[in-house]
PDB file of all heavy atoms in Angstrom:
ATOM      1  N   GLN A 180      92.400  75.221  88.933  1.00 93.00           N
ATOM      2  CA  GLN A 180      91.958  76.019  90.081  1.00 93.00           C
ATOM      3  C   GLN A 180      91.244  75.141  91.098  1.00 93.00           C
ATOM      4  O   GLN A 180      91.466  75.267  92.309  1.00 93.00           O
ATOM      5  CB  GLN A 180      91.035  77.143  89.610  1.00 93.00           C
ATOM      6  CG  GLN A 180      91.733  78.193  88.762  1.00 93.00           C
ATOM      7  CD  GLN A 180      90.756  79.178  88.146  1.00 93.00           C
ATOM      8  OE1 GLN A 180      89.683  78.801  87.680  1.00 93.00           O
ATOM      9  NE2 GLN A 180      91.129  80.451  88.140  1.00 93.00           N
ATOM     10  N   LEU A 181      90.389  74.237  90.610  1.00 89.00           N
ATOM     11  CA  LEU A 181      89.684  73.324  91.505  1.00 89.00           C
ATOM     12  C   LEU A 181      90.679  72.436  92.240  1.00 89.00           C
ATOM     13  O   LEU A 181      90.534  72.184  93.442  1.00 89.00           O
ATOM     14  CB  LEU A 181      88.698  72.482  90.710  1.00 89.00           C
ATOM     15  CG  LEU A 181      87.903  71.449  91.508  1.00 89.00           C
ATOM     16  CD1 LEU A 181      87.056  72.122  92.574  1.00 89.00           C
ATOM     17  CD2 LEU A 181      87.018  70.607  90.575  1.00 89.00           C
ATOM     18  N   ASN A 182      91.697  71.939  91.526  1.00 88.00           N
ATOM     19  CA  ASN A 182      92.722  71.121  92.163  1.00 88.00           C
ATOM     20  C   ASN A 182      93.386  71.868  93.308  1.00 88.00           C
ATOM     21  O   ASN A 182      93.608  71.317  94.395  1.00 88.00           O
ATOM     22  CB  ASN A 182      93.791  70.718  91.137  1.00 88.00           C
ATOM     23  CG  ASN A 182      93.294  69.679  90.145  1.00 88.00           C
ATOM     24  OD1 ASN A 182      92.299  69.011  90.379  1.00 88.00           O
ATOM     25  ND2 ASN A 182      93.993  69.553  89.025  1.00 88.00           N
ATOM     26  N   THR A 183      93.720  73.122  93.073  1.00 91.00           N
ATOM     27  CA  THR A 183      94.379  73.933  94.102  1.00 91.00           C
ATOM     28  C   THR A 183      93.513  74.063  95.340  1.00 91.00           C
ATOM     29  O   THR A 183      93.988  73.922  96.470  1.00 91.00           O
ATOM     30  CB  THR A 183      94.707  75.333  93.549  1.00 91.00           C
ATOM     31  OG1 THR A 183      95.622  75.211  92.467  1.00 91.00           O
ATOM     32  CG2 THR A 183      95.321  76.217  94.621  1.00 91.00           C
ATOM     33  N   ILE A 184      92.212  74.318  95.124  1.00 91.00           N
ATOM     34  CA  ILE A 184      91.304  74.495  96.257  1.00 91.00           C
ATOM     35  C   ILE A 184      91.135  73.194  97.030  1.00 91.00           C
ATOM     36  O   ILE A 184      91.268  73.149  98.253  1.00 91.00           O
ATOM     37  CB  ILE A 184      89.943  75.010  95.769  1.00 91.00           C
ATOM     38  CG1 ILE A 184      90.096  76.407  95.164  1.00 91.00           C
ATOM     39  CG2 ILE A 184      88.937  75.041  96.914  1.00 91.00           C
ATOM     40  CD1 ILE A 184      88.847  76.920  94.496  1.00 91.00           C
ATOM     41  N   LEU A 185      90.844  72.087  96.308  1.00 85.00           N
ATOM     42  CA  LEU A 185      90.569  70.811  96.964  1.00 85.00           C
ATOM     43  C   LEU A 185      91.768  70.275  97.737  1.00 85.00           C
ATOM     44  O   LEU A 185      91.627  69.642  98.774  1.00 85.00           O
ATOM     45  CB  LEU A 185      90.124  69.769  95.937  1.00 85.00           C
ATOM     46  CG  LEU A 185      88.783  70.003  95.238  1.00 85.00           C
ATOM     47  CD1 LEU A 185      88.476  68.845  94.308  1.00 85.00           C
ATOM     48  CD2 LEU A 185      87.665  70.199  96.238  1.00 85.00           C
ATOM     49  N   ASN A 186      92.960  70.523  97.207  1.00 85.00           N
ATOM     50  CA  ASN A 186      94.153  69.939  97.822  1.00 85.00           C
ATOM     51  C   ASN A 186      94.850  70.863  98.804  1.00 85.00           C
ATOM     52  O   ASN A 186      95.844  70.467  99.415  1.00 85.00           O
ATOM     53  CB  ASN A 186      95.126  69.510  96.724  1.00 85.00           C
ATOM     54  CG  ASN A 186      94.618  68.303  95.948  1.00 85.00           C
ATOM     55  OD1 ASN A 186      94.717  67.183  96.402  1.00 85.00           O
ATOM     56  ND2 ASN A 186      94.043  68.564  94.782  1.00 85.00           N
ATOM     57  N   ASN A 187      94.324  72.086  98.979  1.00 89.00           N
ATOM     58  CA  ASN A 187      94.984  73.025  99.882  1.00 89.00           C
ATOM     59  C   ASN A 187      94.073  73.637 100.933  1.00 89.00           C
ATOM     60  O   ASN A 187      94.546  74.042 101.991  1.00 89.00           O
ATOM     61  CB  ASN A 187      95.641  74.152  99.083  1.00 89.00           C
ATOM     62  CG  ASN A 187      96.840  73.685  98.283  1.00 89.00           C
ATOM     63  OD1 ASN A 187      97.927  73.488  98.805  1.00 89.00           O
ATOM     64  ND2 ASN A 187      96.635  73.495  96.990  1.00 89.00           N
ATOM     65  N   ALA A 188      92.775  73.729 100.652  1.00 88.00           N
ATOM     66  CA  ALA A 188      91.871  74.353 101.612  1.00 88.00           C
ATOM     67  C   ALA A 188      91.849  73.565 102.913  1.00 88.00           C
ATOM     68  O   ALA A 188      91.979  72.340 102.924  1.00 88.00           O
ATOM     69  CB  ALA A 188      90.464  74.438 101.027  1.00 88.00           C
ATOM     70  N   GLY A 189      91.702  74.279 104.019  1.00 84.00           N
ATOM     71  CA  GLY A 189      91.705  73.622 105.315  1.00 84.00           C
ATOM     72  C   GLY A 189      90.520  72.707 105.512  1.00 84.00           C
ATOM     73  O   GLY A 189      90.621  71.670 106.164  1.00 84.00           O
ATOM     74  N   TYR A 190      89.364  73.075 104.934  1.00 84.00           N
ATOM     75  CA  TYR A 190      88.162  72.263 105.079  1.00 84.00           C
ATOM     76  C   TYR A 190      87.161  72.710 104.027  1.00 84.00           C
ATOM     77  O   TYR A 190      87.022  73.907 103.761  1.00 84.00           O
ATOM     78  CB  TYR A 190      87.565  72.436 106.483  1.00 84.00           C
ATOM     79  CG  TYR A 190      86.411  71.516 106.790  1.00 84.00           C
ATOM     80  CD1 TYR A 190      86.632  70.257 107.320  1.00 84.00           C
ATOM     81  CD2 TYR A 190      85.107  71.915 106.562  1.00 84.00           C
ATOM     82  CE1 TYR A 190      85.580  69.404 107.610  1.00 84.00           C
ATOM     83  CE2 TYR A 190      84.039  71.074 106.847  1.00 84.00           C
ATOM     84  CZ  TYR A 190      84.276  69.820 107.371  1.00 84.00           C
ATOM     85  OH  TYR A 190      83.230  68.985 107.650  1.00 84.00           O
ATOM     86  N   ILE A 191      86.447  71.759 103.435  1.00 85.00           N
ATOM     87  CA  ILE A 191      85.418  72.065 102.444  1.00 85.00           C
ATOM     88  C   ILE A 191      84.204  71.188 102.725  1.00 85.00           C
ATOM     89  O   ILE A 191      84.325  69.977 102.845  1.00 85.00           O
ATOM     90  CB  ILE A 191      85.899  71.805 101.006  1.00 85.00           C
ATOM     91  CG1 ILE A 191      87.066  72.723 100.650  1.00 85.00           C
ATOM     92  CG2 ILE A 191      84.761  72.015 100.010  1.00 85.00           C
ATOM     93  CD1 ILE A 191      87.681  72.425  99.291  1.00 85.00           C
ATOM     94  N   CYS A 192      83.049  71.809 102.825  1.00 83.00           N
ATOM     95  CA  CYS A 192      81.804  71.065 102.996  1.00 83.00           C
ATOM     96  C   CYS A 192      80.749  71.664 102.082  1.00 83.00           C
ATOM     97  O   CYS A 192      80.468  72.864 102.153  1.00 83.00           O
ATOM     98  CB  CYS A 192      81.341  71.138 104.452  1.00 83.00           C
ATOM     99  SG  CYS A 192      79.805  70.247 104.763  1.00 83.00           S
ATOM    100  N   ASP A 193      80.174  70.851 101.207  1.00 82.00           N
ATOM    101  CA  ASP A 193      79.102  71.278 100.313  1.00 82.00           C
ATOM    102  C   ASP A 193      79.586  72.357  99.343  1.00 82.00           C
ATOM    103  O   ASP A 193      79.144  73.502  99.380  1.00 82.00           O
ATOM    104  CB  ASP A 193      77.922  71.792 101.138  1.00 82.00           C
ATOM    105  CG  ASP A 193      76.669  71.982 100.283  1.00 82.00           C
ATOM    106  OD1 ASP A 193      76.666  71.504  99.130  1.00 82.00           O
ATOM    107  OD2 ASP A 193      75.729  72.626 100.754  1.00 82.00           O
ATOM    108  N   LEU A 194      80.496  71.952  98.473  1.00 84.00           N
ATOM    109  CA  LEU A 194      81.037  72.845  97.452  1.00 84.00           C
ATOM    110  C   LEU A 194      80.361  72.567  96.115  1.00 84.00           C
ATOM    111  O   LEU A 194      80.343  71.429  95.653  1.00 84.00           O
ATOM    112  CB  LEU A 194      82.550  72.634  97.323  1.00 84.00           C
ATOM    113  CG  LEU A 194      83.264  73.409  96.209  1.00 84.00           C
ATOM    114  CD1 LEU A 194      83.248  74.906  96.511  1.00 84.00           C
ATOM    115  CD2 LEU A 194      84.692  72.911  96.045  1.00 84.00           C
ATOM    116  N   THR A 195      79.791  73.600  95.487  1.00 85.00           N
ATOM    117  CA  THR A 195      79.104  73.448  94.208  1.00 85.00           C
ATOM    118  C   THR A 195      79.885  74.150  93.106  1.00 85.00           C
ATOM    119  O   THR A 195      80.235  75.321  93.243  1.00 85.00           O
ATOM    120  CB  THR A 195      77.679  74.035  94.272  1.00 85.00           C
ATOM    121  OG1 THR A 195      76.935  73.331  95.268  1.00 85.00           O
ATOM    122  CG2 THR A 195      76.974  73.891  92.929  1.00 85.00           C
ATOM    123  N   VAL A 196      80.163  73.429  92.013  1.00 85.00           N
ATOM    124  CA  VAL A 196      80.869  73.981  90.856  1.00 85.00           C
ATOM    125  C   VAL A 196      79.947  73.885  89.655  1.00 85.00           C
ATOM    126  O   VAL A 196      79.518  72.796  89.282  1.00 85.00           O
ATOM    127  CB  VAL A 196      82.177  73.206  90.593  1.00 85.00           C
ATOM    128  CG1 VAL A 196      82.901  73.789  89.388  1.00 85.00           C
ATOM    129  CG2 VAL A 196      83.072  73.240  91.826  1.00 85.00           C
ATOM    130  N   ASN A 197      79.625  75.007  89.029  1.00 83.00           N
ATOM    131  CA  ASN A 197      78.628  75.015  87.959  1.00 83.00           C
ATOM    132  C   ASN A 197      79.200  74.843  86.562  1.00 83.00           C
ATOM    133  O   ASN A 197      78.452  74.725  85.601  1.00 83.00           O
ATOM    134  CB  ASN A 197      77.803  76.303  88.025  1.00 83.00           C
ATOM    135  CG  ASN A 197      76.773  76.250  89.135  1.00 83.00           C
ATOM    136  OD1 ASN A 197      76.317  75.184  89.507  1.00 83.00           O
ATOM    137  ND2 ASN A 197      76.419  77.394  89.679  1.00 83.00           N
ATOM    138  N   GLY A 198      80.514  74.837  86.422  1.00 82.00           N
ATOM    139  CA  GLY A 198      81.105  74.646  85.105  1.00 82.00           C
ATOM    140  C   GLY A 198      82.582  74.365  85.224  1.00 82.00           C
ATOM    141  O   GLY A 198      83.259  74.881  86.114  1.00 82.00           O
ATOM    142  N   ILE A 199      83.092  73.508  84.346  1.00 82.00           N
ATOM    143  CA  ILE A 199      84.495  73.102  84.422  1.00 82.00           C
ATOM    144  C   ILE A 199      85.173  73.264  83.066  1.00 82.00           C
ATOM    145  O   ILE A 199      84.641  72.869  82.033  1.00 82.00           O
ATOM    146  CB  ILE A 199      84.615  71.624  84.865  1.00 82.00           C
ATOM    147  CG1 ILE A 199      84.367  71.503  86.373  1.00 82.00           C
ATOM    148  CG2 ILE A 199      85.960  71.043  84.522  1.00 82.00           C
ATOM    149  CD1 ILE A 199      85.471  72.105  87.224  1.00 82.00           C
ATOM    150  N   ASN A 200      86.366  73.859  83.068  1.00 85.00           N
ATOM    151  CA  ASN A 200      87.223  73.940  81.889  1.00 85.00           C
ATOM    152  C   ASN A 200      88.393  72.990  82.098  1.00 85.00           C
ATOM    153  O   ASN A 200      89.167  73.135  83.040  1.00 85.00           O
ATOM    154  CB  ASN A 200      87.734  75.373  81.702  1.00 85.00           C
ATOM    155  CG  ASN A 200      88.766  75.472  80.594  1.00 85.00           C
ATOM    156  OD1 ASN A 200      88.651  74.795  79.583  1.00 85.00           O
ATOM    157  ND2 ASN A 200      89.771  76.300  80.806  1.00 85.00           N
ATOM    158  N   LEU A 201      88.514  72.006  81.217  1.00 81.00           N
ATOM    159  CA  LEU A 201      89.529  70.963  81.381  1.00 81.00           C
ATOM    160  C   LEU A 201      90.907  71.451  80.935  1.00 81.00           C
ATOM    161  O   LEU A 201      91.423  71.059  79.897  1.00 81.00           O
ATOM    162  CB  LEU A 201      89.132  69.720  80.592  1.00 81.00           C
ATOM    163  CG  LEU A 201      87.947  68.931  81.145  1.00 81.00           C
ATOM    164  CD1 LEU A 201      87.438  67.943  80.118  1.00 81.00           C
ATOM    165  CD2 LEU A 201      88.347  68.213  82.425  1.00 81.00           C
ATOM    166  N   ASP A 202      91.526  72.278  81.740  1.00 86.00           N
ATOM    167  CA  ASP A 202      92.863  72.760  81.406  1.00 86.00           C
ATOM    168  C   ASP A 202      93.946  71.890  82.033  1.00 86.00           C
ATOM    169  O   ASP A 202      95.126  72.096  81.791  1.00 86.00           O
ATOM    170  CB  ASP A 202      93.036  74.216  81.860  1.00 86.00           C
ATOM    171  CG  ASP A 202      93.139  74.339  83.366  1.00 86.00           C
ATOM    172  OD1 ASP A 202      92.438  73.579  84.068  1.00 86.00           O
ATOM    173  OD2 ASP A 202      93.909  75.198  83.838  1.00 86.00           O
TER     174      ASP A 202
END
Side-chain angles (χ1 to χ4, degrees):
Q180 293 172 319
L181 179 61
N182 288 342
T183 297
I184 295 172
L185 294 183
N186 290 281
N187 290 282
Y190 187 88
I191 297 174
C192 180
D193 192 12
L194 175 68
T195 299
V196 180
N197 283 332
I199 283 290
N200 173 37
L201 289 166
D202 72 323

